[in-house]
Amino acid sequence: MQLNSLIERVEIPARQARSVRVGAGRRVRVTTETGGQVGDLFAFTGDDLAEHLSAAHTRAHVGRLFPAVGEQFVTDLREPILTLIEDASPGRHDMLIPACDPARYRALGVVGAHASCAENLRRVAGPLGREIDVVPQPVNVFMDIPVDQEGDLAWLRSPAAAGASITFEAVRECVVIVSACPQDLVDINGGTPKPLVLEYAAHMEGSVRS
Amino acid sequence: MQLNSLIERVEIPARQARSVRVGAGRRVRVTTETGGQVGDLFAFTGDDLAEHLSAAHTRAHVGRLFPAVGEQFVTDLREPILTLIEDASPGRHDMLIPACDPARYRALGVVGAHASCAENLRRVAGPLGREIDVVPQPVNVFMDIPVDQEGDLAWLRSPAAAGASITFEAVRECVVIVSACPQDLVDINGGTPKPLVLEYAAHMEGSVRS
């Protein structure tokens, strides 16, 4: 599927995050060119970006753990923000697990600094005027967390092959922030954090932020 | 199972919420004396109650959709806050669905005011010094939201019989707020919102708030 005619490409270096501002009706795509890399996706809208894509409200809205193609993600005010337009991946994405953060790495035995999706979000959102206190639960693209009939979760290595992508369309103008997850202590990224690519349909009001 | 020796009993009227402050090591129990009534439980701790029980971080902590007896709920800083001590109910509780709120009732066709767990939380937490901006995702006791193998959710009537209860122990001093869910347009409460009972082990620092 083609994005709109004007495409901007934003490389997300391994362990870092980038953002794009996406106008209503425009599309944004996340691609794992290497394969096997999870991305934590956040989206904000409204005045001062105070409204956020909410995993919990989205589950209630669609009646499933993750939207199907054609369904919408909603905000904490239950307003549609993104539509899942195309899924050119094995279709394994997660909306149950929070962003990794310093406490997570401390619990895994890390002493000292370790990049995290939570800190990446704060670093990118701050200059956009959104001081992040509580990190919203992300949409974890290419992350495979199956749930069995007892409600037990498994943390599997991302099954996304090289070139796998997922594409969203903005229902409202919003800022989309994607962190190339730096997790290297559990196997979700196969032990090696890798870059991601963010493509979006640029338009007059659009701008790339880093 | 007996709670600690000094028991305080707080009636939660139908469609309303109440709070208790629970010291570390003390217990709090929610009972549906009528049966069939869902409670939205929130817990806060830390300075100005700024830290909250987080459903997403708890899922990652326990590796399942809902803690088993003996397991802990954690905060958004991944600190243990409550332990699930006893479950004298059918064991169907939810940690996937957000609190009902004015937007939810508007979408269900309600014109004008309708009580909601989100507004109940705000009303109770404000006088405790915690202005609630974003409502944390609650622990929905006695709420049965099964997940099938395709990830589809069902909204079932609460299977909790009259007298069913669930008991928690505070790992840290915290404020526990429970809203007797006013949902009367979907079947989770059998169409009729009912009261709940909150019992807790009082201690010198404890106090009932309403």
Side-chain angles (χ1 to χ4, degrees), chain A residues 50 52 54-66 76-79 95-101 103-104 106 130 133-135 137 147-155, chain B residues 50 52 54-66 76-79 95-101 103-104 106 130 133-135 137 147-155:
Chain A
H52 66 271
S54 166
H57 294 87
T58 298
R59 280 191 292 272
H61 181 69
V62 299
R64 63 180 90 238
L65 293 182
F66 198 88
D76 56 308
L77 300 183
R78 302 187 193 251
E79 293 290 337
M95 217 165 52
L96 293 170
I97 301 297
C100 60
D101 53 26
R104 171 71 164 142
R106 279 198 302 275
R130 178 66 159 80
D133 177 17
V134 174
V135 173
Q137 193 195 318
V147 182
D148 73 13
Q149 283 305 82
E150 280 68 52
D152 291 333
L153 311 180
W155 297 62
Chain B
H52 65 271
S54 165
H57 293 87
T58 297
R59 281 192 291 272
H61 180 70
V62 299
R64 65 179 89 237
L65 293 182
F66 198 89
D76 56 309
L77 301 183
R78 301 187 194 254
E79 295 289 338
M95 218 165 52
L96 293 170
I97 300 299
C100 61
D101 53 25
R104 172 70 164 141
R106 278 197 302 275
R130 178 67 159 80
D133 178 18
V134 175
V135 173
Q137 194 197 316
V147 183
D148 73 13
Q149 283 304 84
E150 281 67 51
D152 290 333
L153 312 180
W155 298 61

Side-chain angles (χ1 to χ4, degrees), chain B residues 127-145:
Chain B
L128 301 177
R130 178 67 159 80
E131 290 300 324
I132 302 287
D133 178 18
V134 175
V135 173
Q137 194 197 316
V139 176
N140 298 308
V141 299
F142 312 130
M143 181 164 170
D144 189 10
I145 306 286

Side-chain angles (χ1 to χ4, degrees), chain A residues 33-177:
Chain A
E33 293 194 336
T34 59
Q37 175 61 41
V38 167
D40 282 34
L41 182 148
F42 306 89
F44 298 90
T45 188
D47 294 341
D48 302 327
L49 307 182
E51 197 174 334
H52 66 271
L53 187 161
S54 166
H57 294 87
T58 298
R59 280 191 292 272
H61 181 69
V62 299
R64 63 180 90 238
L65 293 182
F66 198 88
V69 170
E71 292 183 334
Q72 294 177 323
F73 298 81
V74 301
T75 69
D76 56 308
L77 300 183
R78 302 187 193 251
E79 293 290 337
I81 182 169
L82 293 176
T83 305
L84 178 52
I85 290 291
E86 186 186 54
D87 187 1
S89 84
R92 302 300 304 171
H93 311 287
D94 170 71
M95 217 165 52
L96 293 170
I97 301 297
C100 60
D101 53 26
R104 171 71 164 142
Y105 290 106
R106 279 198 302 275
L108 288 168
V110 172
V111 177
H114 192 293
S116 70
C117 290
E119 293 306 300
N120 282 348
L121 170 66
R122 291 194 170 98
R123 190 170 297 118
V124 169
L128 301 178
R130 178 66 159 80
E131 292 300 324
I132 303 286
D133 177 17
V134 174
V135 173
Q137 193 195 318
V139 176
N140 298 307
V141 299
F142 312 130
M143 183 165 169
D144 190 10
I145 305 286
V147 182
D148 73 13
Q149 283 305 82
E150 280 68 52
D152 291 333
L153 311 180
W155 297 62
L156 303 185
R157 182 180 294 207
S158 173
S165 71
I166 183 167
T167 306
F168 307 88
E169 184 172 285
V171 183
R172 309 160 63 191
E173 180 175 327
C174 58
V175 170
V176 173
I177 300 176

Side-chain angles (χ1 to χ4, degrees), chain A residues 2-10 20-29 167-170 198-208:
Chain A
Q2 291 297 303
L3 293 175
N4 310 43
S5 54
L6 289 169
I7 303 296
E8 293 282 345
R9 177 186 163 95
V10 180
V20 292
R21 186 176 293 269
V22 187
R26 302 297 174 140
R27 293 181 179 177
V28 59
R29 175 178 292 162
T167 306
F168 307 88
E169 184 172 285
L198 199 49
E199 292 171 290
Y200 78 109
H203 60 119
M204 286 194 305
E205 302 85 45
S207 58
V208 181

